[in-house]
DNA sequence: CCTGAAAGTGCCACAAA
DNA sequence: TTTGTGGCACTTTCAGG
């Protein structure tokens, strides 16, 4: 089912995607509403699942995590048991921040946040290749982050 | 410079990465502090840039954006002018949620959020291939999202 | 508009260096 | 004694009805 936004909802969402902790009265002012109806709209957007959650975004570099890598992985077979086992294992590795089961090319695409190349080398040996059913891994390394946002394009 | 976390800082960060809008007094209770020193620590983490910002995470599917694709792109040349122009253009496309300049293989890796395959087809023709200097594009499509988090592994 | 609750500030106590 | 950190009390501001 499609949700029908008006201009004010769009402004609310756009603002909250940048300032998730903004106070309701400030938000209200920004979108041109008084606080009460503004809060009501936010609650509705939350209950409808449009707003999934609020999070703090940390700066990995400030904690010494200076490297992001993309790893493409191939499994020995793609049967349900192998895939599910892999999914479960990967889900427990906090360094693996994203994991997708892919159509074509590789079986999985992972995004991994880690200190540096050496730490990644060890991580791959100690954790990724140890998972049952893993056949091979190709690592792609970003040299420069051009753009990175949690902001979703509003229709 | 490396920041030195104690156990309480780690608990604060872990909590805020899941509940970015949690009230300070609740957070304080969770981490075993009274509100004032808890707030002080949060402010320090913010000022140190450990906490970059707070955001609302929206649910793309609830807005009809049911597809994420990864596009690997090659440019005709990798000189600064071409690359910068590409970076600037891509930065203005809200559907492009992530863009990395890569070492080896492809030149850029993009993550794109969009309604469906047909919308992507049009987006690629109308926007991506129109950018000056673009030579070719390969599109990788995730079939299943195994894991996706904004949570960064704490050292 | 009104009320209760939370945020934020100042000050003091205590402990470690 | 100095520095860092927790706690309490007070004022201001906000949420929510």
């Amino acid at each position: 089912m499609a949700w029908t936004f008006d201009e004010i909802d769009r402004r609310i969402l756009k603002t909250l995607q940048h300032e998730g902790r903004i106070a309701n009265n400030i938000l209200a002012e920004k979108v041109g509403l008084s606080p009460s109806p503004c809060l009501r709209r936010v609650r509705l957007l939350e209950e409808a699942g449009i707003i999934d959650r609020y999070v703090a975004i940390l700066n990995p570099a400030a904690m010494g995590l200076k490297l992001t890598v993309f790893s493409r992985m191939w499994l020995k077979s793609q049967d349900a048991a192998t895939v599910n086992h892999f999914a479960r294992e990967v889900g427990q590795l906090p360094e693996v921040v994203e994991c997708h089961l892919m159509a074509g090319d590789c079986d999985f695409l992972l995004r991994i946040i880690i200190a540096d190349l050496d730490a990644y080398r060890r991580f791959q040996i100690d954790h990724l290749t140890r998972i049952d059913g893993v056949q091979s891994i190709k690592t792609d390394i970003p040299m420069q982050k051009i753009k990175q946002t949690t902001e979703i394009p509003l229709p």
Side-chain angles (χ1 to χ4, degrees), chain A residues 31-89:
Chain A
V31 304
L33 236 51
S34 58
S36 298
C38 180
L39 186 62
R40 205 173 71 82
R41 279 172 183 259
V42 172
R43 291 284 176 271
L44 283 174
L45 291 165
E46 286 167 2
E47 279 155 28
I50 309 283
I51 298 175
D52 186 56
R53 63 193 194 279
Y54 300 89
V55 301
I57 302 293
L58 307 190
N59 178 358
M63 295 183 279
L65 302 172
K66 293 187 293 290
L67 186 64
T68 291
V69 307
F70 292 91
S71 299
R72 287 177 292 156
M73 302 188 60
W74 287 259
L75 301 189
K76 284 169 192 150
S77 81
Q78 285 83 31
D79 61 284
T82 310
V83 165
N84 287 340
H85 177 259
F86 180 81
R88 208 162 37 78
E89 292 296 311

Side-chain angles (χ1 to χ4, degrees), chain A residues 119-130 137 139:
Chain A
Y120 175 70
R121 188 182 50 75
R122 274 179 283 118
F123 179 76
Q124 177 166 321
I125 293 169
D126 293 347
H127 294 99
L128 294 185
T129 60
R130 289 248 177 106
I137 304 178
T139 306

